[in-house]
Amino acid sequence: MSIVLPPEHLQKVLGYTFSEQRLIKQALTHRSFASTHNERLEFVGDAVLNAVVGRSLYIHFPKLNEGELSRLRASLVRQESLANVASELNLGDYLWLGEGELKSGGHRRPSILADALEAIFGAAWLDGGFEAAQSIIERLFVSRIESIDPARALKDPKTALQEWLQARHHALPLYEVVRQEGESPNLVFEMSCSIPALKVTTLAQGPSRRSAEQLAAGEALGMLKEKYPGKAPRRA
Amino acid sequence: MSIVLPPEHLQKVLGYTFSEQRLIKQALTHRSFASTHNERLEFVGDAVLNAVVGRSLYIHFPKLNEGELSRLRASLVRQESLANVASELNLGDYLWLGEGELKSGGHRRPSILADALEAIFGAAWLDGGFEAAQSIIERLFVSRIESIDPARALKDPKTALQEWLQARHHALPLYEVVRQEGESPNLVFEMSCSIPALKVTTLAQGPSRRSAEQLAAGEALGMLKEKYPGKAPRRA
């Protein structure tokens, strides 16, 4: 039987002590453990995380446009990134999980870790006001934001995907129009980006073929990096 | 030549006077008018809007789960809804638009109105802190949130779509699996929902076929309602 740590040390690391301890407890409770679980808090936390990180990026990168800010934020708050932050906090040691999740290693599962981290942000907002949530989030993300090299992080995703595939001797991705709707200037294109050999297909929408392709390519590259962390498959 | 109103009256209606008037001016400036325009502010404003509305819904509807809260929020902050709020504020009268946008009625275009409204929320956050943005947003959205009937608003989207189509004598939508990925419990299904006769196809992802179908159906219904406001086409 695994032991769940009480959240005192976690709160020290976060730099915030909850007035209502039931809120941090709820944030650390997976739905498999109890009916009062962290999913509603995660909804609030996801929103405050996006807002705080968005504002920090706005201030830190005065020359970037909104699309670029949006892409940087997406990379900071994607499940994989949040799970990394959660791992650094040893969040898994504080989680209340049901029997099945415990046995299958739920306290190391990226989705469970990322959701609990967001729930903590939401709980902090409800407990201590917006500034409480903001200070926890900024403490965890400020170094990540400051270490972003926009030129590298914002490399055109189609190029980055192409380079990733070529380095592994794979064929180029296929881009196809899935849907085209509306009238100028409100056209919407939906493009797919497929890499059949690696069983990845993504879809994205944008106001032009090119913008939708870039988004789909960026998502495909993200999926490939998650699917094949470290050594990636080369074509035989 | 149309006259742009100075933003004094608008600030009275919003219940907030900017310390830095250049920020409200920027929020009201479309990219067609000047290089210092509202798109970056819109990025910040979109995030604070989602956070504030999300928290209000969380508090107002203690029994709803995160998926339901998410659907309610999406309906409140979709472009059409924001354009309605903007119209009630006569926001179009305060917008700085380039010549071309002016001539083509840009000050009544939903996307331009919605974007400027979000930019105002972002500008208020930067100008007066989070509470300034929160109070403007709550003032504009509180009655909308209080008038939500969750039972009606959250009617199962597949059923709602089916009823909408049947009332207009159209065939039922087609649902198809576009993609299936990952392994349990992290399965991802991508489903399409098509209504060929009305040229609408949507895609959505979810952890099950059913959840992805519901999301795709909800999006299709939203698109149909936007495409055919008021009287909708009946099959001949």
Side-chain angles (χ1 to χ4, degrees):
Chain A
M1 151 118 202
S2 97
I3 290 166
V4 177
L5 294 183
E8 277 70 31
H9 182 65
L10 177 62
Q11 292 176 86
K12 277 207 188 100
V13 180
L14 294 172
Y16 178 72
T17 302
F18 280 74
S19 308
E20 295 203 45
Q21 288 290 312
R22 65 166 185 88
L23 275 169
I24 178 78
K25 177 86 193 286
Q26 186 179 343
L28 296 167
T29 303
H30 187 255
R31 65 172 301 142
S32 60
F33 184 79
S35 60
T36 301
H37 54 68
N38 63 12
E39 288 188 353
R40 276 170 45 89
L41 289 173
E42 179 209 336
F43 169 78
V44 178
D46 171 80
V48 71
L49 172 65
N50 273 286
V52 171
V53 170
R55 178 176 165 281
S56 297
L57 290 169
Y58 175 94
I59 290 167
H60 201 76
F61 297 108
K63 304 274 178 203
L64 299 187
N65 68 35
E66 66 293 352
E68 293 165 337
L69 294 171
S70 204
R71 278 163 58 198
L72 290 186
R73 181 172 60 189
S75 73
L76 288 165
V77 305
R78 63 187 306 150
Q79 186 185 94
E80 192 192 13
S81 312
L82 295 182
N84 287 339
V85 176
S87 298
E88 289 174 18
L89 298 169
N90 296 316
L91 203 56
D93 297 345
Y94 301 93
L95 294 183
W96 297 90
L97 301 172
E99 203 62 36
E101 288 292 352
L102 259 184
K103 283 186 182 149
S104 65
H107 56 284
R108 285 187 307 270
R109 185 168 303 134
S111 59
I112 288 181
L113 289 169
D115 291 353
L117 184 66
E118 289 187 327
I120 289 173
F121 302 150
W125 187 6
L126 297 170
D127 186 71
F130 185 80
E131 277 69 24
Q134 183 171 28
S135 87
I136 295 177
I137 294 168
E138 287 181 346
R139 189 183 178 110
L140 296 174
F141 285 87
V142 70
S143 65
R144 288 175 164 82
I145 289 172
E146 284 173 355
S147 68
I148 291 173
D149 172 358
R152 198 168 148 266
L154 292 171
K155 185 188 246 181
D156 157 25
K158 281 181 71 175
T159 308
L161 174 61
Q162 183 175 328
E163 290 174 2
W164 193 96
L165 291 168
Q166 286 178 333
R168 288 153 187 87
H169 304 281
H170 283 290
L172 296 182
L174 305 169
Y175 295 96
E176 283 176 300
V177 182
V178 175
R179 188 166 65 93
Q180 180 181 339
E181 263 218 357
E183 281 164 34
S184 177
N186 293 314
L187 273 168
V188 174
F189 288 85
E190 184 155 87
M191 302 294 300
S192 66
C193 167
S194 323
I195 304 109
L198 298 174
K199 296 196 177 58
V200 161
T201 301
T202 59
L203 294 151
Q205 297 183 355
S208 68
R209 283 180 66 132
R210 196 188 128 78
S211 65
E213 281 176 3
Q214 294 287 6
L215 289 170
E219 216 187 311
L221 185 57
M223 285 176 67
L224 288 170
K225 285 180 175 173
E226 268 181 42
K227 213 166 160 174
Y228 305 109
K231 56 182 177 182
R234 285 168 154 264
R235 199 171 58 174
Chain B
M1 152 118 202
S2 96
I3 290 165
V4 178
L5 294 184
E8 278 70 30
H9 181 66
L10 176 62
Q11 292 177 87
K12 278 207 188 99
V13 179
L14 295 173
Y16 179 72
T17 302
F18 281 74
S19 308
E20 294 202 45
Q21 287 292 314
R22 65 164 185 88
L23 275 170
I24 178 78
K25 176 86 194 285
Q26 186 180 344
L28 295 167
T29 302
H30 187 254
R31 64 174 301 142
S32 60
F33 184 80
S35 60
T36 301
H37 55 69
N38 63 11
E39 288 188 354
R40 276 170 46 90
L41 290 173
E42 180 209 335
F43 169 77
V44 177
D46 171 79
V48 71
L49 172 66
N50 272 286
V52 171
V53 170
R55 178 177 167 280
S56 297
L57 290 169
Y58 175 94
I59 291 168
H60 201 76
F61 297 108
K63 304 276 179 199
L64 298 187
N65 68 35
E66 66 293 353
E68 294 165 337
L69 294 171
S70 205
R71 279 162 58 198
L72 290 185
R73 181 172 61 191
S75 73
L76 288 165
V77 305
R78 62 188 306 151
Q79 187 185 93
E80 193 191 11
S81 312
L82 295 181
N84 287 339
V85 176
S87 298
E88 288 173 20
L89 297 169
N90 296 316
L91 203 57
D93 297 346
Y94 300 93
L95 294 182
W96 297 89
L97 301 171
E99 203 62 35
E101 288 294 351
L102 260 184
K103 282 187 183 149
S104 64
H107 55 284
R108 284 187 307 272
R109 185 169 304 134
S111 59
I112 288 180
L113 289 169
D115 291 354
L117 185 66
E118 289 187 327
I120 289 173
F121 302 149
W125 187 7
L126 298 170
D127 187 70
F130 184 79
E131 278 68 24
Q134 183 172 29
S135 86
I136 294 177
I137 294 167
E138 287 182 346
R139 189 183 178 107
L140 295 175
F141 285 87
V142 71
S143 66
R144 287 174 164 82
I145 289 172
E146 283 173 355
S147 68
I148 292 173
D149 172 358
R152 199 168 147 266
L154 292 171
K155 184 188 247 181
D156 158 23
K158 281 182 71 176
T159 308
L161 174 61
Q162 184 176 328
E163 290 174 2
W164 194 96
L165 290 168
Q166 285 178 334
R168 286 153 189 87
H169 304 280
H170 283 290
L172 296 182
L174 306 168
Y175 295 97
E176 284 176 297
V177 182
V178 175
R179 188 166 65 94
Q180 180 182 338
E181 264 219 356
E183 281 164 35
S184 178
N186 292 314
L187 271 168
V188 175
F189 288 86
E190 184 155 88
M191 302 294 301
S192 66
C193 168
S194 323
I195 303 110
L198 298 174
K199 297 195 177 58
V200 162
T201 300
T202 58
L203 294 150
Q205 299 183 354
S208 69
R209 281 182 66 134
R210 195 188 128 77
S211 65
E213 281 177 2
Q214 293 287 7
L215 288 170
E219 215 188 310
L221 185 57
M223 285 175 67
L224 288 170
K225 285 181 174 171
E226 266 181 43
K227 211 167 161 175
Y228 306 109
K231 57 183 176 180
R234 286 168 152 262
R235 198 172 59 174

